[in-house]
Amino acid sequence: MSQRLAKEYRALSKTLGRDPEYAYIISLAPVSEENLRKWESLITGPPDTPYFGHEFTLQIEASEAYPLEPPKVQFQARCMPHCNVDFDSGRICLSVLDAAHWTPAWDLLHVVHAIWLLLASPEPDSPLDVDLACLVRAGDRSAHNSLIAYYLNGGSRGHCGHVSER
Amino acid sequence: MQLEFKKVYPVFSWSWDIPGDDDADREIGDEDLCGICRVSYNGTCPGCKYPGDNCPLVIGECNHNFHVHCIQQWLATPTAKGLCPMCRQQFSLKRGVAINEGQVEKLANLLLQPRPAALAADDQDMMMDQEFAVR
Ligand SMILES: [Zn+2]
Ligand SMILES: [Zn+2]
Ligand SMILES: [Zn+2]
């Protein structure tokens, strides 16, 4: 069904840059026009979050079965400190990316939007980053936000993002 | 003057007659696209070459329409759980609609699959969840 990806690509060229709802998407396009299964998206962080003012790359891969199967989407490795993202791999834990919850009515734009919304609302009950999840659970937003800001501004992070002193 | 016809190119135009599909309440530019492959109802699914009877349209009880081949493929996936991709209600063919006749058998074995009770309960939870809820 790769025609469907071509359709999405065409529709996006009309939507992006025109719809203010998606103003945060700098780009969402196939890496090369030769292969419509591999996409990349550059997004800016949502306002009122420590991610605001930073740009993030999402790597997207649609299988042969897309849209019957969800696309695989992850952040660039070691770029996204977030309680539902594995920092080292960039893997994202989000229901729309889960085959059990996916529906072919959704598309790549929908997925990118869901991920962008996730940045503003971390979900500590399904954590991939234990340290950040602990801070969210403890309700310590300011410690949570300043730790993220520290990482985003080049602060060093141990090789394993999961080490916590317990 | 004498006219001579050398060749005749017949051109036909057609479209599916979809009951309850009122042009008046549709937004401009909002084409009728199959929610799965995003091709027009009057076009073909990605697997077919010729539109029309070879790649028919079906109408759901929930009023969501798909190429029969597209909805067949979706319902055959283990994750579909018999649900309409658009509204997540149990998908079934609308009764008494001419287009659906002849397609009933194609979908029969996909629609009648009994669902495990546990899965059904899970769906209920999911419908309550927000679309973007985290696992
Ligand atoms: Zn279709
Ligand atoms: Zn077909
Ligand atoms: Zn429906």
Side-chain angles (χ1 to χ4, degrees):
Chain A
M1 285 212 181
S2 66
Q3 285 171 33
R4 157 84 191 239
L5 287 163
K7 291 231 155 207
E8 286 190 38
Y9 186 28
R10 242 172 287 143
L12 278 167
S13 64
K14 286 184 212 149
T15 312
L16 296 182
R18 234 172 266 184
D19 189 337
E21 196 185 351
Y22 303 112
Y24 65 88
I25 301 179
I26 298 166
S27 67
L28 171 55
V31 176
S32 131
E33 310 247 333
E34 320 272 272
N35 177 10
L36 290 186
R37 301 202 176 285
K38 267 195 140 150
W39 290 48
E40 228 168 56
S41 183
L42 188 65
I43 59 172
T44 58
D48 305 315
T49 70
Y51 307 105
F52 190 66
H54 294 267
E55 292 175 0
F56 304 95
T57 301
L58 285 165
Q59 296 158 340
I60 304 166
E61 226 177 306
S63 74
E64 190 81 39
Y66 178 85
L68 300 176
E69 270 176 18
K72 287 195 173 67
V73 187
Q74 58 164 62
F75 282 100
Q76 203 170 11
R78 301 188 65 78
C79 290
M80 175 47 77
H82 184 285
C83 97
N84 305 108
V85 178
D86 178 58
F87 186 75
D88 285 323
S89 67
R91 192 164 66 86
I92 304 165
C93 177
L94 181 66
S95 65
V96 298
L97 296 174
D98 185 9
H101 292 187
W102 171 258
T103 136
W106 291 339
D107 55 24
L108 298 184
L109 179 61
H110 179 102
V111 166
V112 169
H113 194 61
I115 291 169
W116 187 73
L117 292 176
L118 180 72
L119 293 185
S121 23
E123 181 45 73
D125 291 334
S126 49
L128 286 176
D129 190 308
V130 179
D131 295 349
L132 288 170
C134 282
L135 291 171
V136 175
R137 237 178 264 134
D140 197 345
R141 264 307 161 108
S142 80
H144 169 262
N145 290 353
S146 51
L147 186 59
I148 290 170
Y150 170 74
Y151 292 141
L152 290 178
N153 291 311
S156 70
R157 183 151 211 194
H159 207 68
C160 173
H162 300 293
V163 181
S164 62
E165 45 283 23
R166 255 178 298 153
Chain B
M1 185 174 78
Q2 198 182 349
L3 279 177
E4 190 188 338
F5 289 92
K6 290 196 167 156
K7 262 179 188 169
V8 175
Y9 299 95
V11 176
F12 300 95
S13 171
W14 66 279
S15 71
W16 291 109
D17 180 20
I18 305 166
D21 188 43
D22 191 355
D23 281 51
D25 59 10
R26 204 182 307 143
E27 283 175 50
I28 298 160
D30 186 15
E31 272 181 277
D32 285 331
L33 304 180
C34 166
I36 297 174
C37 68
R38 301 267 169 102
V39 172
S40 150
Y41 293 150
N42 298 322
T44 70
C45 79
C48 286
K49 270 201 180 129
Y50 305 105
D53 290 337
N54 293 313
C55 188
L57 190 71
V58 290
I59 301 178
E61 201 60 72
C62 57
N63 286 320
H64 288 124
N65 314 330
F66 305 96
H67 298 117
V68 71
H69 299 137
C70 291
I71 190 72
Q72 245 178 330
Q73 277 191 55
W74 165 242
L75 292 173
T77 66
T79 51
K81 293 177 229 144
L83 304 182
C84 168
M86 310 305 286
C87 62
R88 293 190 176 263
Q89 297 181 58
Q90 195 73 43
F91 188 82
S92 61
L93 292 177
K94 200 177 193 115
R95 272 168 237 217
V97 181
I99 306 187
N100 282 347
E101 278 164 31
Q103 309 311 321
V104 179
E105 260 170 49
K106 271 190 213 164
L107 291 176
N109 60 336
L110 293 170
L111 294 176
L112 289 177
Q113 268 170 17
R115 294 196 297 151
L119 271 180
D122 189 46
D123 293 343
Q124 292 291 314
D125 289 349
M126 249 198 58
M127 310 263 277
M128 310 281 287
D129 282 354
Q130 273 191 329
E131 213 172 67
F132 297 136
V134 177
R135 243 188 299 164

